[in-house]
Amino acid sequence: MNTADQYLKAIYLAQRIEDGPASTGTLADLLEVSPASVNEMIGKLEDRGLVDHEKYKGASLTDEGLGRAHDALQTYCIIERFLANVLEVEEYQDEARALESVIDDTVAERLDTIIDRPGECPDCFDPERDACERLEVGDGCAD
Amino acid sequence: MSLGQRVSSDHQLARLLQIGVVLEEVVESRAAHHLDSLPPEERAAIDEEVRELLEEAADESADHRERLEALIDDLEADTVAYEEINALVDAQYGPPEDTDGVLYDQLANEETAYKFYDDLIDAIEASESEFAIDRERLLETLYEIREEEKDGVEEVTEIMEHRA
């Protein structure tokens, strides 16, 4: 997943957490980068028509940005579910965050052929838990 | 969240190689499932070229898996057994409608594997971390596997083109 998609996913989650535009501070916390880096990237995403930004309020996804954020979150859900249920990784959220930049969506699609994911994914993603609310850990097959 | 594409620890490297093994197991299992899923009359009608392609793909994946497993062993990590991935493929498997569907799936397998190794190589090259295994040996293995996946993409594409 590339950096732009990671930002779009973070804005989507921040908008859900804050029930409104995503603030720079929340995005900087989610992405573990500086507020200056967030502002720079928000500007680029705005230029590409993926984000609307209002000064002092925050960033909101455009329809196009929302579609991409949705796809990116789905890819992330696949990675988490694969780690939790196939490789039986206990710290699957931390590891998914560390791996998402290296796992392309086409690779995630292949991994998706061996996991059982709810049809409404990624709407069932819980931003507070940083995981799908329906994900049960340890019901996979790995030793 | 980790921005920037690089592998920074043995643990992360082992995890990515484990994912590579699973991808190879998925290829191997799906190729076997494709051959088994067709009704006997269609199985007989699958021409020799496609049958050979699937058999070669399964053999090649098994070989790649062994080479990745050797690296993972040296990182003192485990892998998921083929039988377990085969059971997961079995649980979710929907057979393609016809031989063209089989070829499209095989193309997706090869392209995905190529993309995975390409990204993994980039992420290792972008990192200055020292790993518990020799970096040159690691990259050499991954370059070879990536090259074979590229050949695989070309082989499937050629078969698809002259069947069209």
Side-chain angles (χ1 to χ4, degrees):
Chain A
M1 193 187 302
N2 62 35
T3 306
D5 284 340
Q6 289 184 63
Y7 265 88
L8 294 172
K9 173 164 72 69
I11 294 167
Y12 174 80
L13 294 176
Q15 281 191 257
R16 273 175 58 177
I17 292 168
E18 296 180 352
D19 199 18
S23 69
T24 302
T26 302
L27 291 173
D29 287 345
L30 283 172
L31 293 156
E32 294 173 13
V33 296
S34 70
S37 300
V38 170
N39 286 333
E40 189 186 341
M41 191 63 177
I42 294 291
K44 287 181 187 171
L45 294 172
E46 199 173 16
D47 291 345
R48 290 162 64 182
L50 298 168
V51 165
D52 288 326
H53 184 249
E54 242 183 295
K55 215 171 180 182
Y56 308 117
K57 283 194 174 170
S60 308
L61 295 167
T62 62
D63 286 347
E64 194 186 345
L66 184 62
R68 282 197 40 185
H70 211 256
D71 290 346
L73 184 57
Q74 194 165 295
T75 295
Y76 185 71
C77 287
I78 293 169
I79 296 170
E80 276 201 343
R81 199 165 271 270
F82 171 78
L83 290 171
N85 293 158
V86 179
L87 298 184
E88 295 196 339
V89 176
E90 281 180 25
E91 308 290 327
Y92 64 91
Q93 290 112 318
D94 291 343
E95 292 213 18
R97 284 195 296 274
L99 293 176
E100 65 177 339
S101 64
V102 193
I103 306 284
D104 184 74
D105 54 354
T106 59
V107 174
E109 273 174 35
R110 273 292 104 163
L111 299 178
D112 197 28
T113 63
I114 55 168
I115 59 169
D116 194 9
R117 193 164 50 87
E120 60 266 45
C121 176
D123 293 337
C124 40
F125 191 85
D126 177 356
E128 306 288 346
R129 185 186 168 201
D130 187 25
C132 172
E133 62 189 18
R134 293 173 56 187
L135 175 59
E136 290 172 25
V137 182
D139 56 356
C141 68
D143 291 323
Chain B
M1 193 173 291
S2 168
L3 295 175
Q5 199 186 43
R6 65 175 62 90
V7 181
S8 52
S9 67
D10 281 348
H11 183 80
Q12 198 184 359
L13 176 62
R15 191 66 80 210
L16 285 160
L17 294 172
Q18 283 175 329
I19 293 173
V21 168
V22 172
L23 284 174
E24 297 291 355
E25 289 172 332
V26 169
V27 173
E28 194 176 340
S29 174
R30 287 183 76 82
H33 274 74
H34 291 337
L35 280 172
D36 290 345
S37 70
L38 296 164
E41 62 275 18
E42 278 198 44
R43 217 180 300 166
I46 271 204
D47 57 59
E48 204 51 37
E49 195 175 31
V50 177
R51 185 186 305 280
E52 267 177 32
L53 178 84
L54 291 174
E55 285 170 357
E56 271 174 30
D59 288 348
E60 188 178 278
S61 285
D63 173 60
H64 289 176
R65 182 153 57 89
E66 280 171 21
R67 285 149 76 184
L68 294 174
E69 280 169 352
L71 296 171
I72 293 169
D73 273 352
D74 289 349
L75 289 165
E76 294 179 1
D78 297 322
T79 53
V80 184
Y82 173 75
E83 291 70 28
E84 291 174 356
I85 298 303
N86 190 43
L88 291 177
V89 168
D90 206 44
Q92 307 279 335
Y93 183 74
E97 276 183 13
D98 50 23
T99 310
D100 283 345
V102 168
L103 287 170
Y104 274 113
D105 191 72
Q106 191 51 35
L107 182 64
N109 278 336
E110 301 281 355
E111 283 179 336
T112 302
Y114 176 82
K115 177 74 180 141
F116 174 77
Y117 293 115
D118 199 45
D119 286 344
L120 178 54
I121 287 167
D122 281 350
I124 293 169
E125 286 178 337
S127 164
E128 289 175 0
S129 302
E130 288 273 328
F131 301 115
I133 51 177
D134 179 58
R135 175 182 280 262
E136 204 172 314
R137 174 182 156 226
L138 168 68
L139 283 171
E140 204 54 48
T141 305
L142 295 174
Y143 291 146
E144 285 168 14
I145 295 178
R146 179 179 63 178
E147 196 57 30
E148 286 170 15
E149 300 296 355
K150 189 179 167 197
D151 293 344
V153 171
E154 284 167 7
E155 199 180 337
V156 185
T157 309
E158 273 171 29
I159 293 177
M160 289 172 92
E161 276 172 1
H162 76 73
R163 284 174 64 91

